[in-house]
Amino acid sequence: MEFTIGGRLEVRITPADVGKRVSVRRRTDGGGTGAEFTDTVGVLTSWDHGVLAITRKSGESVHIVESALVAGKVVPAAPARRRGPAASFEELAAVTARAWQPVESEPLGDWRLRAAGGFTRRANSALPLGDPGLPLGEALGRVRSWYEERDLPAYVQTATGAEGTQELLCAELERHGWRREVSAEVRIAALAPVGDVAADIAAVRLSREPDTDWLARYQRFSTPGPHVLRVLGSGPSVWFATVPGESAAPAAIGRCVVDGRWAGFMAVEVDPEQRRRGLATTVMTALARRALDEGASAAWLQVEEDNEGARALYDGMGFAAHHRYHHYRSASGTTR
């Protein structure tokens, strides 16, 4: 990370650079005799009263006292991708939203308020893809009221880590008292290698709807109801995969939504007693081949950051992180 001109460290950023991606070096108190330094890269989300706030691609907000800066510069908005299909955040945000649709939705300017009886945060959160048409404080008040009317907690889903993502909005949400609860990666890959994996897919049963066997394995089916089935069945072209097991519940399941060139993988679950036998790979391969038959060429999925087993599986299949998404919850309102 190069900060120097003619061998001198220089701070080449100002408050006018708020909203830009920056790289800074600051002096830290390491407790030793010499100076220690830490580097931070992210979007400069504020510079007020001598304190900088920088939001990293992980969504973490770092606050730095101006007097501790020893160097800083503006850097390109996003690093070049080395693998995987080319995709913008705007394209992926729309595709992922179509693959997991709410039961009820209402526009708020360019934002969309979504509800599905509380089944998953994704289907019960505001999706802010543009201008809400109101000052932010008023828009957030409307979000809270809309969810309170439905006896649901108020969430806003945001994204960080790619060109065009919402680091500034994340910082504003925190200033308005909203707190980040859950973060996950959106990963993408070429679809053909997923379908080309040598796997015994003869035992995989594909269907257009989740039957009782599939639902018996699905861990989020703890509150059955028509709203759950409507969310699961939503999307342009939806497929469900089932690998029968020796017990009442299947050995493995999965869901795939084909949408143009994209195939999205969700709800890939394996019987805990049958893990590490390649069943998750088998399910994804079967679904990938069906998606290829429908003309898809790229794949996406979402994985929570603490799910190490799934992350290792997807690493091996060629999936790379594109951006991260987060759910911010209002500190006020219902506690359901």
Side-chain angles (χ1 to χ4, degrees):
M1 201 177 293
E2 181 56 58
F3 292 101
T4 62
I5 294 180
R8 301 188 311 276
L9 290 170
E10 291 195 355
V11 177
R12 288 177 270 156
I13 57 174
T14 72
D17 293 314
V18 168
K20 298 179 182 178
R21 189 169 181 265
V22 300
S23 176
V24 303
R25 178 168 294 169
R26 71 182 187 275
R27 194 177 287 106
T28 61
D29 182 9
T33 57
E36 296 185 12
F37 303 96
T38 297
D39 295 331
T40 303
V41 178
V43 174
L44 180 63
T45 49
S46 68
W47 191 328
D48 299 319
H49 307 294
V51 178
L52 295 74
I54 296 175
T55 300
R56 291 173 166 160
K57 65 180 181 180
S58 65
E60 176 193 7
S61 183
V62 179
H63 293 82
I64 301 171
V65 177
E66 182 179 339
S67 60
L69 284 180
V70 295
K73 64 179 180 179
V74 174
V75 294
R81 291 196 54 77
R82 296 184 179 273
R83 58 175 175 154
S88 67
F89 164 67
E90 291 79 7
E91 178 186 7
L92 272 173
V95 168
T96 57
R98 286 194 295 267
W100 198 261
Q101 298 176 25
V103 174
E104 178 186 5
S105 67
E106 180 180 316
L108 178 63
D110 296 327
W111 291 21
R112 183 151 293 275
L113 308 177
R114 307 174 296 178
F119 174 62
T120 73
R121 291 179 182 86
R122 278 181 286 165
N124 293 271
S125 56
L127 187 63
L129 299 181
D131 187 341
L134 298 169
L136 183 61
E138 293 182 32
L140 294 177
R142 174 59 184 143
V143 171
R144 282 192 292 267
S145 297
W146 196 84
Y147 285 100
E148 286 173 359
E149 291 167 5
R150 290 154 180 81
D151 193 27
L152 294 170
Y155 285 102
V156 174
Q157 179 179 314
T158 64
T160 60
E163 186 173 0
T165 48
Q166 301 157 319
E167 284 82 356
L168 285 172
L169 176 58
C170 292
E172 286 296 324
L173 287 168
E174 291 182 358
R175 278 194 282 271
H176 281 81
W178 293 60
R179 293 293 175 260
R180 180 161 56 102
E181 282 194 351
V182 176
S183 295
E185 285 183 341
V186 176
R187 292 189 171 201
I188 62 175
L191 182 61
V194 181
D196 286 343
V197 173
D200 181 12
I201 66 170
V204 181
R205 184 174 71 244
L206 298 181
S207 62
R208 284 295 196 176
E209 297 180 352
D211 57 20
T212 54
D213 288 344
W214 194 97
L215 293 170
R217 174 56 57 201
Y218 185 48
Q219 63 177 345
R220 291 190 175 181
F221 196 59
S222 58
T223 55
H227 60 292
V228 176
L229 297 178
R230 284 184 62 179
V231 174
L232 287 172
S234 64
S237 179
V238 187
W239 290 97
F240 297 88
T242 303
V243 178
E246 297 178 358
S247 62
I253 60 169
R255 176 179 182 265
C256 179
V257 178
V258 184
D259 184 354
R261 73 181 181 118
W262 290 100
F265 296 88
M266 289 143 277
V268 177
E269 299 183 13
V270 177
D271 182 342
E273 296 184 359
Q274 299 195 51
R275 289 175 182 167
R276 302 186 183 279
R277 299 181 183 179
L279 290 177
T281 300
T282 298
V283 164
M284 292 185 66
T285 299
L287 290 169
R289 292 181 187 179
R290 181 54 58 94
L292 287 165
D293 289 343
E294 294 191 10
S297 60
W300 67 268
L301 52 80
Q302 297 167 327
V303 57
E304 293 190 2
E305 294 182 337
D306 60 354
N307 192 341
E308 295 298 332
R311 289 163 64 88
L313 170 67
Y314 302 144
D315 284 343
M317 301 182 85
F319 283 88
H322 183 276
H323 65 271
R324 290 170 174 80
Y325 78 88
H326 319 279
H327 283 105
Y328 281 82
R329 179 170 177 165
S330 173
S332 61
T334 180
T335 58
R336 174 179 169 182

